[in-house]
Amino acid sequence: MRRLAARGAAGDAGEAAAPAADRTDCARGRGRSPWRLIDLRAIWDTGVVLPAADWKGPSSGVAGRRLNKAEALSSVRKAQFERLEAARPRGPGSRERGPVLRMAGQQPPPWVLAALLLCLPSLGGAIEIPMDPSIQNELSQPPTITKQSVKDHIVDPRDNILIECEAKGNPAPSFHWTRNSRFFNIAKDPRVSMRRRSGTLVIDFRSGGRPEEYEGEYQCFARNKFGTALSNRIRLQVSKSPLWPKENLDPVVVQEGAPLTLQCNPPPGLPSPVIFWMSSSMEPITQDKRVSQGHNGDLYFSNVMLPDMQTDYSCNARFHFTHTIQQKDAFTLKVLTNHPYNDSSLRNHPDMYSARGVAERTPSFMYPQGTASSQMVLRGMDLLLECIASGVPTPDIAWYKKGGDLPSDKAKFENFNKALRITNVSEEDSGEYFCLASNKMGSIRHTISVRVKAAPYWLDEPKNLILAPGEDGRLVCRASGNPKPTVQWMVNGEPLQSAPPNPNREVAGDTIIFRDTQISSRAVYQCNTSNEHGYLLANAFVSVLDVPPRMLSPRNQLIRVILYNRTRLDCPFFGSPIPTLRWFKNGQGSNLDGGNYHVYENGSLEIKMTRKEDQGIYTCVATNILGKAENQVHLEVKDPTRIYRMPEDQVAKRGTTVQLECRVKHDPSLKLTVSWLKDDEPLYVSNRMKKEDESLTIFGVAERDQGSYTCIASTELDQDLAKAYLTVLADQATPTNRLAALPKGRPDRPRDLELTDLAERSVRLTWIPGDDNNSPITDYVVQFEEDQFQPGVWHDHSKFPGSVNSAVLHLSPYVNYQFRVIAVNEVGSSHPSLPSERYRTSGAPPESNPADVKGEGTRKNNMEITWTPMNATSAFGPNLRYIVKWRRRETREAWSNVTVWGSRHVVGQTPVYVPYEIRVQAENDFGKGPEPDTVIGYSGEDYPRAAPTDVKIRVLNSTAVSLQWNRVYSDTVQGQLREYRAYYWRESSLLKNLWVSQKRQQASFPGDRLRGVVSRLFPYSNYKLEMVVVNGRGDGPRSETKEFATPEGVPSAPRRFRVRQPNLETIHLEWDHPEHPNGILTGYTLKYVAFNGTKVGKQIVENFSPNQTKFTMQRADPVSRYRFTLSARTQVGSGEAATEESPAPPNEATPTAAPPTLSPTTVGAPGTVSSTDATATVATEATAAPIVPTTAPAAVTTTTATESPPTTTAGTKIHESAPDKQSIWNVTVLPNSKWANITWKHSFGPGTDFVVEYTDSNHTKKTVPVKAQAQPIQLTDLYPGMTYTLRVYSRDNEGISSAIITFMTSSAYTNNQADIATQGWFIGLMCAVALLVLILLIVCFIKRSRGGKYPVREKKDVPLGPEDPKEEDGSFDYSDEDNKPLQGSQTSLDGTIKQQESDDSLVDYGEGGEGQFNEDGSFIGQYTVKKDKEETEGNESSEATSPVNAIYSLA
């Protein structure tokens, strides 16, 4: 058997030799399996299976044993073998492992050997020799027969005889022949020669000689130093065409109406001649159902008529090889009649016989004789059954098979139904057939019993076996036949029994097993399997190779691939033993396998999604014990070709100019080609068109330019295309402005429908279009209605362009059609037209069968067969019905059938869950549909009979346990295994006097699994658990009840947390104990912080005893508000927190940014009170700042509502409680082009770690571990414009997971994004801003040159304090510190917050103290220049000009 060794070069031809897992183990050089061959006689001797006496343990040989895992012994059986092996006695005469007791002279029966061989491990496949000529010519190989003559070789005696025999091998083989099993000495016969470099015999008769002298049985032997191959036994026969013996034939006298047989009796020829009848004047005899030739060559008259004597009858034999025709002497008929006149008008008339006075009679058989006969036929041949009957009138012949139908796909009727031919006969064609001959006088039948025998045919033909030294292998020669063939093994043309003994070879019936093969084991083995009907001979050589690794592909290949595409780097290699292959990149020491890389069995390296960083030099290294070889592949990653500005659909008037844009972005190192198609055909660029790199311009558009235009941008690696449609408007007689003013509407309905050209399967429908109402009609939709299956329901039939008003409609048989037409324009659809007249097509057999055939059990002892019924257009005739057939799949029993008018049939009394073959064939009154496909269905399922055993429970944490169990046997499932299911319930809490619900819950583990995790348990509780097997019927029996306890966890949030503020100095806090303590409470932790607007004070922490539920605090700052966070504690840690804020004073404004804030587009789960978003919690902590994206991405949020035991979260919203069980919800994604921010909500403890798992559209999965309280998380290795799926789960328990959400990153390049820097309005705005800033700077410079200090009006609401930077003249330095607290502020609790009237207010400045703020908060006070006292005493007020006034003054 050949096997994949030259992996990349040979492809996957050797995949069937052994499972991929075995090849992988061998390729990686694993040690030999200690499980060797089984001593077949040990069963017969001791009643148990023991390892062979020459069993060897693990070995460090050249290559590991190859064991087929699908046939390997189970671990249980191996353990039994080990115990038996240890108990075997050792003593004198023992072999390696001690003696094996045997009954003297007794051998195991053949059935024991056959059964044991089915259990033998597959002892490896073989090495595949690549087709590379250099390797084929270098490697030594035993001979192989490549061409030979057929077994029955018939030759023309006029030509030279040629007996073919050709073989290959290395070294080239020599040839010799045997004739009639004796050596044929070619040198002694001058007529016989052998072709050069071939074993083909040539026997030359040009110098005389008789070919008959060389008839006999020949066999060719091809030999080199590694073995001998044999051809088939070729039986040489010379064609013969003897002459017909001379005869004197008297005229044949027969009464009119009587039967007659004219015998041919041709001379025996080789091969048999072809018989046909003619007259002596070489005119063919007209044959019909009355007169016809039988298979034996005789001419049969069912009844003789007077016109039959008008000619004579001669039998002719044509011989194939000589191309000659031998003619027998002609028969002359003399017909006796009661009506001597031959009235030709009565020929073929129904009353012809009575008119001529011929008595009518019942049929009788002329061939075969009697009422029954038998016939034997070989499998694969054609079966020909023949019945020829006489009678008046001429009988009709019909054929039937008892107990079933004739095989419609293989049965053919010949010779006017007198012969039945069944091609390619198989065993299921055996049985009783009968022919029925009938006319109006009666009927008669003949039964033929058919037996199907079989010459040997291959089940498992031996294949060439190429191994490395020390490897195991086997040759299998399995054939079947009737009777069962015998198997004979030979080696190098000699019987295996007479061959020299080989300790590494063991024969077990039809299998030869080789162990520890060496170079000396090379030979050619022949398997000859035969019975009385024929034989099969096969050669298979065993070759042992010892070859160091070598590469088969050219060196330093260059591979170019488009970015983000999947690519495959090939590295075909060869060696024996099979080398192991590893890949490296850029000379790095780590092997490439896993993640984005996948190494195939043939050595090819697949990169699932190529990125820029994947570019480089890849090296593949093949290694075995004889050396190593390597090759390099250069990979270049190119940017994709993209059309970023696509052509758009356009509507143009005739004579105008149209431009179709097509702007392309591509890799600059690749050559770009831009081409255009029109209506999906290459565009001919005429002189009216101009094709440029980024556009196509059409000058003087005409009607012929209308159509679809496709721009194709292609490089040698990829392409992109975009399509647009050009509509050309013809000139209108009405002026354009008047047309534009006319309103557009839906078209009027078509009218006057007419049916013409009525045919069997088609009809022409013609209609008159209605008014288009100023919008051209673009399409017509033809609909039909039939009155049999769905009367009154209209269906779309076809669609036609708006330019036609007549169309040929293709119809289905036996449908009473009625048609209507709907017109469509750009405004909408018209009302349907009035229906046409009806037209019924003629019927026909169905051309299809029903779809969706299924077989499923609804009860344990039945199977319901269902299908989708066929509609009116596929019924093709009246009385549509269905022939339903079924039979057991494994037994291949006869088909059961029933005719059904509906769409289901129930088969009763079926075994439990067994496969059935099902066929459903449509039939109507005109005939049957085509042969249906076979569908596999299953009978009903029963409840499983066994429960999982050895259930083991391991506690993972306070809310989850892992389960492990042993699978049940497949025969106990009694159906399709759906899942293993765990039923568990909370028996009690470990806390005294705590009531718990004992409601049963379940966890499902789909498929044939052996382990699983049960999560969402309550901490600190006693649980009970049972396991069951579930199939489609339901649950099986329950396993033994297991008990376990969950450890202590963190508590839920304190209940009813309330904050009251009776006055400005005191705040009262009250709360109740947590609903779920989840352990023994050790106390409460209260955290509170003062805040005023956006300013936050220092956090203060208070700890209380577990019994304390009240707390009163004195306010040090009566202005600030407080935020309180309260959580309960157990020994495990703090649990979920409840958050409240102190009431706001009546006159306090709402803060501009009051935390916590909700995530964008977050929606709370219905029926569930959500915890505070983790993002909001992080935002309130001073230790971590949130990540702010540089753009405004869309937020993707999912919300799941689940019930789980309470644990802790960072906090909850006001008046909200945590979910009852652990869960993760409200996953929010803010994606950009190359990254995304992830946040979520959860009900876990503060120390819980999570994992973010995301998968791209190329199915590349990545995970990011997240430490506790580390939100938000930023994913930074994303690709632009790619779709991702994402979920978040607990690192400790993967079963607790969020829902899977989908998001897409934004594109790195946006097609419709305009460059703002090139916009005219933006440039103008920037110029205006620059000019304004320049004017302001000039004014400020002028003011500053008059004096560096801005005096302020002396009238202030609050006098200056001593700490103010006051000058002697009573003015402020405007550039001094401006961030100090305002006058009159007070220190808060932590000394950081000052009391003030308004956090955002400024002291008013202005003349006479009248500076103030507008309603929108803008400052309208004015800065003034300090004047001398003399100037200020007058009525004039000399104010400094503000910057705005300065601009007006300059103007």
Side-chain angles (χ1 to χ4, degrees):
M1 182 169 291
R2 306 186 68 186
R3 181 157 181 203
L4 190 64
R7 302 172 178 235
D12 298 326
E15 287 295 317
D22 298 336
R23 293 198 306 276
T24 304
D25 293 343
C26 295
R28 294 177 179 174
R30 294 185 180 177
R32 301 176 184 174
S33 170
W35 292 100
R36 298 288 304 281
L37 302 178
I38 301 172
D39 192 333
L40 302 180
R41 296 176 177 84
I43 278 190
W44 186 247
D45 296 333
T46 64
V48 295
V49 179
L50 296 178
D54 53 348
W55 179 93
K56 295 181 181 181
S59 172
S60 57
V62 175
R65 306 283 183 209
R66 294 189 178 116
L67 293 180
N68 189 331
K69 294 182 180 179
E71 299 176 349
L73 300 174
S74 67
S75 59
V76 176
R77 190 170 297 172
K78 289 183 180 180
Q80 294 173 351
F81 284 167
E82 291 174 349
R83 290 195 296 271
L84 290 170
E85 181 63 24
R88 291 177 64 178
R90 286 157 171 75
S94 66
R95 294 188 286 177
E96 279 188 40
R97 295 281 174 166
V100 177
L101 299 178
R102 294 191 176 98
M103 299 174 66
Q106 193 163 358
Q107 297 293 330
W111 65 266
V112 175
L113 297 177
L116 256 284
L117 285 175
L118 296 177
C119 302
L120 280 175
S122 177
L123 296 174
I127 298 173
E128 176 106 5
I129 302 298
M131 301 307 296
D132 192 327
S134 62
I135 296 180
Q136 293 276 351
N137 296 332
E138 291 179 10
L139 298 180
S140 299
Q141 287 195 36
T144 301
I145 300 292
T146 59
K147 189 176 182 180
Q148 57 183 320
S149 296
V150 295
K151 294 180 181 178
D152 291 318
H153 188 33
I154 302 176
V155 297
D156 192 332
R158 299 170 298 178
D159 299 331
N160 292 336
I161 296 176
L162 198 71
I163 310 177
E164 291 183 315
C165 178
E166 296 182 7
K168 67 177 182 178
N170 194 8
S174 60
F175 299 88
H176 73 271
W177 287 81
T178 62
R179 179 186 175 194
N180 299 327
S181 301
R182 300 179 63 183
F183 176 72
F184 184 42
N185 194 339
I186 299 174
K188 290 186 178 181
D189 194 331
R191 295 191 185 93
V192 183
S193 63
M194 190 182 299
R195 285 183 176 177
R196 185 182 178 187
R197 296 181 181 178
S198 170
T200 299
L201 287 181
V202 180
I203 306 176
D204 192 348
F205 297 103
R206 288 178 296 181
S207 58
R210 297 181 63 251
E212 290 80 4
E213 297 177 356
Y214 291 90
E215 290 185 329
E217 190 176 74
Y218 292 79
Q219 191 168 24
C220 174
F221 293 74
R223 173 179 300 161
N224 66 11
K225 65 179 181 179
F226 301 121
T228 303
L230 278 65
S231 72
N232 290 322
R233 296 187 296 274
I234 303 170
R235 184 183 178 191
L236 178 66
Q237 295 176 284
V238 179
S239 175
K240 299 177 177 60
S241 53
L243 298 177
W244 225 299
K246 290 292 183 179
E247 297 180 279
N248 293 322
L249 299 177
D250 295 330
V252 179
V253 180
V254 61
Q255 184 69 35
E256 186 176 18
L260 174 65
T261 301
L262 300 181
Q263 296 183 348
C264 180
N265 296 327
L270 187 67
S272 299
V274 177
I275 305 300
F276 58 95
W277 287 81
M278 302 184 73
S279 66
S280 58
S281 59
M282 302 306 291
E283 294 181 356
I285 301 299
T286 302
Q287 299 187 25
D288 51 24
K289 75 173 185 176
R290 184 179 67 85
V291 181
S292 63
Q293 175 186 320
H295 182 62
N296 58 1
D298 295 346
L299 188 64
Y300 293 91
F301 295 78
S302 294
N303 49 77
V304 177
M305 300 303 295
L306 186 62
D308 295 334
M309 62 182 294
Q310 294 179 359
T311 183
D312 55 4
Y313 301 88
S314 175
C315 181
N316 297 264
R318 187 182 69 214
F319 295 91
H320 172 68
F321 278 90
T322 58
H323 301 289
T324 58
I325 296 177
Q326 303 286 348
Q327 188 176 39
K328 186 177 182 178
D329 292 340
F331 290 97
T332 302
L333 291 187
K334 182 176 181 181
V335 180
L336 304 179
T337 180
N338 298 325
H339 195 294
Y341 301 104
N342 184 13
D343 190 353
S344 60
S345 63
L346 296 177
R347 181 180 294 271
N348 296 328
H349 193 274
D351 298 327
M352 174 182 64
Y353 296 101
S354 59
R356 296 195 56 80
V358 177
E360 296 180 340
R361 53 188 174 83
T362 58
S364 62
F365 283 110
M366 305 175 68
Y367 180 88
Q369 300 292 331
T371 59
S373 60
S374 63
Q375 191 166 336
M376 189 273 289
V377 64
L378 291 181
R379 179 182 184 271
M381 307 295 288
D382 286 357
L383 170 65
L384 183 66
L385 304 178
E386 192 172 33
C387 282
I388 301 176
S390 64
V392 179
T394 304
D396 294 318
I397 306 294
W399 290 90
Y400 303 92
K401 182 180 181 182
K402 290 185 178 180
D405 296 333
L406 296 176
S408 58
D409 54 338
K410 301 191 297 181
K412 299 178 181 178
F413 299 105
E414 300 177 354
N415 197 16
F416 312 100
N417 274 23
K418 298 178 183 180
L420 169 65
R421 182 182 297 275
I422 300 177
T423 59
N424 192 20
V425 171
S426 59
E427 285 79 358
E428 63 183 11
D429 295 321
S430 60
E432 290 190 353
Y433 296 79
F434 65 88
C435 57
L436 184 68
S438 60
N439 61 12
K440 67 180 182 178
M441 301 300 296
S443 63
I444 188 175
R445 78 178 191 175
H446 182 93
T447 302
I448 305 174
S449 178
V450 175
R451 294 174 293 114
V452 178
K453 300 291 185 178
Y457 57 91
W458 288 119
L459 298 177
D460 218 339
E461 184 177 2
K463 306 294 183 184
N464 293 335
L465 190 62
I466 304 176
L467 303 171
E471 287 189 324
D472 296 347
R474 66 176 180 175
L475 293 177
V476 180
C477 176
R478 293 196 182 107
S480 183
N482 188 4
K484 183 176 177 60
T486 59
V487 176
Q488 178 189 10
W489 284 102
M490 294 182 289
V491 55
N492 295 328
E494 299 294 333
L496 198 61
Q497 295 82 358
S498 60
N502 186 346
N504 298 330
R505 179 180 65 207
E506 183 172 343
V507 180
D510 55 12
T511 303
I512 301 181
I513 301 167
F514 301 93
R515 299 170 295 176
D516 291 327
T517 54
Q518 302 301 324
I519 300 296
S520 59
S521 301
R522 291 181 289 196
V524 181
Y525 290 82
Q526 289 83 32
C527 174
N528 185 10
T529 173
S530 61
N531 63 11
E532 62 188 60
H533 302 297
Y535 76 93
L536 292 173
L537 178 67
N539 292 274
F541 65 72
V542 176
S543 182
V544 182
L545 298 180
D546 208 354
V547 181
R550 61 186 298 177
M551 293 297 170
L552 305 179
S553 60
R555 303 186 66 84
N556 299 322
Q557 297 183 77
L558 174 62
I559 303 296
R560 296 186 296 177
V561 65
I562 295 298
L563 185 67
Y564 303 137
N565 278 4
R566 185 188 298 262
T567 189
R568 185 164 172 165
L569 308 181
D570 293 324
C571 182
F573 64 94
F574 172 71
S576 178
I578 298 176
T580 59
L581 186 81
R582 293 185 298 170
W583 283 89
F584 304 93
K585 179 185 176 186
N586 296 332
Q588 297 177 354
S590 59
N591 183 27
L592 298 179
D593 196 3
N596 198 33
Y597 300 100
H598 177 68
V599 179
Y600 286 90
E601 290 295 323
N602 63 357
S604 296
L605 174 67
E606 182 186 67
I607 304 177
K608 300 176 183 177
M609 185 177 67
T610 53
R611 300 162 296 187
K612 283 294 186 180
E613 53 266 29
D614 293 325
Q615 189 167 270
I617 300 176
Y618 290 81
T619 304
C620 58
V621 180
T623 309
N624 66 11
I625 63 171
L626 302 177
K628 70 176 183 178
E630 64 179 46
N631 199 357
Q632 290 185 342
V633 179
H634 297 257
L635 179 66
E636 293 182 358
V637 181
K638 304 296 184 181
D639 291 328
T641 303
R642 293 291 179 264
I643 299 176
Y644 65 89
R645 181 161 294 179
M646 298 176 288
E648 297 179 350
D649 294 342
Q650 296 189 34
V651 178
K653 296 180 181 179
R654 187 172 59 183
T656 60
T657 299
V658 172
Q659 186 178 51
L660 300 173
E661 282 190 307
C662 183
R663 298 189 180 182
V664 184
K665 180 181 179 183
H666 72 291
D667 194 289
S669 63
L670 301 177
K671 182 180 178 181
L672 176 67
T673 302
V674 179
S675 58
W676 289 84
L677 304 178
K678 181 180 184 296
D679 297 328
D680 299 327
E681 296 292 337
L683 173 67
Y684 170 72
V685 180
S686 64
N687 55 4
R688 294 188 302 106
M689 299 181 182
K690 182 179 181 182
K691 179 177 172 294
E692 298 175 316
D693 292 339
E694 296 184 342
S695 64
L696 173 68
T697 305
I698 306 176
F699 303 96
V701 173
E703 285 85 352
R704 64 177 179 274
D705 296 324
Q706 179 169 297
S708 64
Y709 289 81
T710 304
C711 172
I712 302 177
S714 59
T715 64
E716 55 265 40
L717 297 182
D718 68 336
Q719 71 173 21
D720 194 14
L721 56 88
K723 181 179 288 189
Y725 195 87
L726 174 62
T727 303
V728 180
L729 299 179
D731 293 337
Q732 301 289 336
T734 311
T736 304
N737 55 356
R738 183 177 177 184
L739 279 176
L742 294 176
K744 296 181 179 180
R746 296 191 302 174
D748 293 342
R749 70 173 67 186
R751 55 188 177 86
D752 297 341
L753 272 64
E754 182 182 4
L755 298 179
T756 58
D757 300 343
L758 304 178
E760 186 176 356
R761 291 288 184 94
S762 65
V763 68
R764 176 175 290 278
L765 176 65
T766 306
W767 63 91
I768 297 176
D771 194 299
D772 62 4
N773 293 326
N774 306 315
S775 178
I777 296 175
T778 58
D779 298 291
Y780 287 103
V781 177
V782 177
Q783 296 182 330
F784 75 93
E785 179 260 351
E786 53 84 26
D787 58 358
Q788 182 177 358
F789 288 89
Q790 292 179 302
V793 178
W794 291 89
H795 308 273
D796 287 346
H797 183 281
S798 49
K799 189 175 183 179
F800 300 98
S803 58
V804 303
N805 69 329
S806 180
V808 176
L809 308 180
H810 297 282
L811 310 179
S812 297
Y814 203 72
V815 178
N816 195 17
Y817 282 100
Q818 190 177 28
F819 301 99
R820 69 182 187 184
V821 182
I822 300 174
V824 181
N825 63 9
E826 65 177 7
V827 179
S829 302
S830 70
H831 292 293
S833 67
L834 296 178
S836 68
E837 59 183 345
R838 287 195 177 271
Y839 174 64
R840 179 183 289 277
T841 55
S842 59
E847 295 181 0
S848 62
N849 289 310
D852 298 330
V853 179
K854 298 177 182 177
E856 297 175 346
T858 59
R859 306 177 69 178
K860 68 178 182 180
N861 59 350
N862 76 355
M863 178 180 65
E864 184 180 58
I865 303 174
T866 60
W867 57 90
T868 301
M870 301 167 65
N871 56 25
T873 58
S874 56
F876 286 14
N879 297 324
L880 177 66
R881 52 199 178 269
Y882 306 97
I883 301 174
V884 184
K885 299 181 181 180
W886 69 92
R887 69 177 179 184
R888 288 271 298 274
R889 184 181 185 182
E890 63 273 7
T891 60
R892 308 289 292 182
E893 60 191 8
W895 290 91
S896 301
N897 63 83
V898 67
T899 300
V900 179
W901 296 83
S903 61
R904 62 186 291 270
H905 175 70
V906 178
V907 180
Q909 303 302 319
T910 62
V912 175
Y913 198 67
V914 295
Y916 279 82
E917 293 179 340
I918 302 171
R919 295 177 181 175
V920 180
Q921 185 180 26
E923 183 184 27
N924 59 23
D925 287 354
F926 291 94
K928 297 180 181 179
E931 192 67 21
D933 295 332
T934 301
V935 177
I936 304 300
Y938 285 85
S939 58
E941 303 178 62
D942 201 356
Y943 294 106
R945 292 189 283 107
T949 58
D950 196 17
V951 180
K952 298 178 182 178
I953 301 177
R954 182 169 61 91
V955 177
L956 298 177
N957 52 41
S958 61
T959 62
V961 295
S962 68
L963 303 179
Q964 187 173 349
W965 59 89
N966 290 339
R967 63 166 54 92
V968 297
Y969 291 105
S970 58
D971 57 345
T972 66
V973 178
Q974 299 197 112
Q976 181 181 5
L977 177 62
R978 299 291 179 89
E979 62 184 30
Y980 287 91
R981 183 179 296 167
Y983 289 101
Y984 60 96
W985 63 94
R986 189 181 183 191
E987 187 71 16
S988 63
S989 173
L990 293 176
L991 293 174
K992 295 182 179 180
N993 302 323
L994 181 63
W995 179 87
V996 297
S997 171
Q998 295 184 346
K999 181 181 178 181
R1000 282 179 173 259
Q1001 296 176 287
Q1002 66 183 43
S1004 298
F1005 310 103
D1008 191 9
R1009 300 171 56 179
L1010 298 179
R1011 57 183 57 86
V1013 175
V1014 177
S1015 58
R1016 300 180 182 178
L1017 303 175
F1018 286 90
Y1020 211 54
S1021 301
N1022 292 317
Y1023 276 88
K1024 290 186 178 180
L1025 180 142
E1026 297 172 343
M1027 293 285 296
V1028 298
V1029 180
V1030 182
N1031 62 12
R1033 186 71 185 275
D1035 295 0
R1038 283 169 165 72
S1039 68
E1040 178 186 358
T1041 302
K1042 296 289 183 178
E1043 298 183 1
F1044 64 93
T1046 54
E1048 200 170 358
V1050 295
S1052 62
R1055 292 181 296 172
R1056 290 186 285 276
F1057 183 32
R1058 303 174 297 279
V1059 178
R1060 293 186 298 106
Q1061 184 174 317
N1063 50 57
L1064 296 179
E1065 290 79 20
T1066 305
I1067 297 178
H1068 292 307
L1069 308 178
E1070 295 181 6
W1071 62 89
D1072 292 342
H1073 295 301
E1075 181 180 4
H1076 300 286
N1078 295 333
I1080 301 174
L1081 292 181
T1082 60
Y1084 294 93
T1085 299
L1086 175 68
K1087 301 178 182 179
Y1088 58 94
V1089 63
F1091 65 92
N1092 189 352
T1094 58
K1095 297 182 179 180
V1096 181
K1098 184 178 180 181
Q1099 180 174 272
I1100 300 176
V1101 180
E1102 298 281 355
N1103 292 314
F1104 308 120
S1105 66
N1107 296 325
Q1108 183 173 346
T1109 58
K1110 296 180 179 180
F1111 175 67
T1112 301
M1113 65 166 287
Q1114 300 296 324
R1115 301 181 57 146
D1117 180 6
V1119 177
S1120 299
R1121 296 178 62 191
Y1122 289 85
R1123 183 177 301 111
F1124 300 95
T1125 302
L1126 179 66
S1127 60
R1129 303 190 308 273
T1130 62
Q1131 293 182 356
V1132 178
S1134 296
E1136 182 181 351
T1139 301
E1140 286 285 352
E1141 293 181 358
S1142 62
N1147 58 351
E1148 181 178 346
T1150 303
T1152 57
T1157 58
L1158 292 177
S1159 304
T1161 69
T1162 301
V1163 181
T1168 303
V1169 181
S1170 304
S1171 299
T1172 304
D1173 194 336
T1175 304
T1177 303
V1178 174
T1180 61
E1181 297 287 337
T1183 57
I1187 301 173
V1188 181
T1190 56
T1191 62
V1196 181
T1197 305
T1198 62
T1199 302
T1200 59
T1202 58
E1203 294 183 4
S1204 57
T1207 53
T1208 188
T1209 65
T1212 59
K1213 288 178 62 177
I1214 302 173
H1215 304 300
E1216 294 182 348
S1217 61
D1220 293 333
K1221 296 182 179 180
Q1222 294 174 334
S1223 60
I1224 303 171
W1225 71 99
N1226 278 21
V1227 179
T1228 302
V1229 182
L1230 297 173
N1232 204 323
S1233 60
K1234 294 185 179 180
W1235 52 263
N1237 287 342
I1238 316 297
T1239 60
W1240 60 90
K1241 292 181 180 180
H1242 63 86
S1243 57
F1244 288 84
T1248 305
D1249 293 341
F1250 299 90
V1251 177
V1252 177
E1253 178 187 275
Y1254 58 103
T1255 307
D1256 61 20
S1257 54
N1258 291 325
H1259 305 291
T1260 301
K1261 182 183 295 183
K1262 295 183 180 180
T1263 57
V1264 177
V1266 181
K1267 294 295 182 182
Q1269 305 299 333
Q1271 298 189 57
I1273 299 305
Q1274 188 176 77
L1275 308 179
T1276 58
D1277 56 346
L1278 307 183
Y1279 295 99
M1282 182 166 287
T1283 302
Y1284 290 82
T1285 58
L1286 179 143
R1287 72 181 181 113
V1288 181
Y1289 62 88
S1290 170
R1291 192 177 68 178
D1292 297 330
N1293 186 0
E1294 186 177 348
I1296 302 179
S1297 170
S1298 70
I1300 296 177
I1301 67 170
T1302 302
F1303 69 95
M1304 185 172 66
T1305 54
S1306 58
S1307 301
Y1309 186 93
T1310 306
N1311 290 345
N1312 57 1
Q1313 201 172 27
D1315 189 356
I1316 192 172
T1318 62
Q1319 302 300 312
W1321 63 268
F1322 180 79
I1323 297 174
L1325 179 62
M1326 291 297 100
C1327 292
V1329 171
L1331 179 60
L1332 181 60
V1333 170
L1334 180 61
I1335 295 174
L1336 289 175
L1337 290 176
I1338 294 174
V1339 173
C1340 291
F1341 179 79
I1342 295 174
K1343 293 296 183 180
R1344 188 58 86 163
S1345 64
R1346 294 183 180 179
K1349 298 177 181 178
Y1350 290 85
V1352 183
R1353 298 288 181 177
E1354 295 177 357
K1355 293 185 178 181
K1356 296 176 61 179
D1357 294 335
V1358 182
L1360 296 175
E1363 69 277 12
D1364 292 325
K1366 185 176 181 183
E1367 298 292 342
E1368 294 179 357
D1369 56 1
S1371 63
F1372 286 115
D1373 188 349
Y1374 189 73
S1375 63
D1376 201 357
E1377 297 177 53
D1378 56 359
N1379 57 353
K1380 289 189 177 182
L1382 299 177
Q1383 301 288 338
S1385 64
Q1386 296 182 0
T1387 305
S1388 64
L1389 287 173
D1390 57 357
T1392 61
I1393 302 178
K1394 304 290 186 178
Q1395 181 184 359
Q1396 54 195 20
E1397 292 294 327
S1398 173
D1399 290 341
D1400 299 325
S1401 65
L1402 295 175
V1403 178
D1404 300 328
Y1405 293 92
E1407 187 177 30
E1410 295 177 359
Q1412 56 186 354
F1413 282 90
N1414 281 337
E1415 291 179 357
D1416 59 354
S1418 60
F1419 183 70
I1420 60 174
Q1422 296 179 343
Y1423 300 108
T1424 60
V1425 180
K1426 177 75 173 173
K1427 291 288 185 177
D1428 293 337
K1429 186 176 181 180
E1430 304 83 71
E1431 296 174 358
T1432 60
E1433 289 177 352
N1435 293 329
E1436 297 178 358
S1437 176
S1438 197
E1439 294 181 356
T1441 307
S1442 68
V1444 179
N1445 293 333
I1447 295 175
Y1448 288 134
S1449 65
L1450 289 176

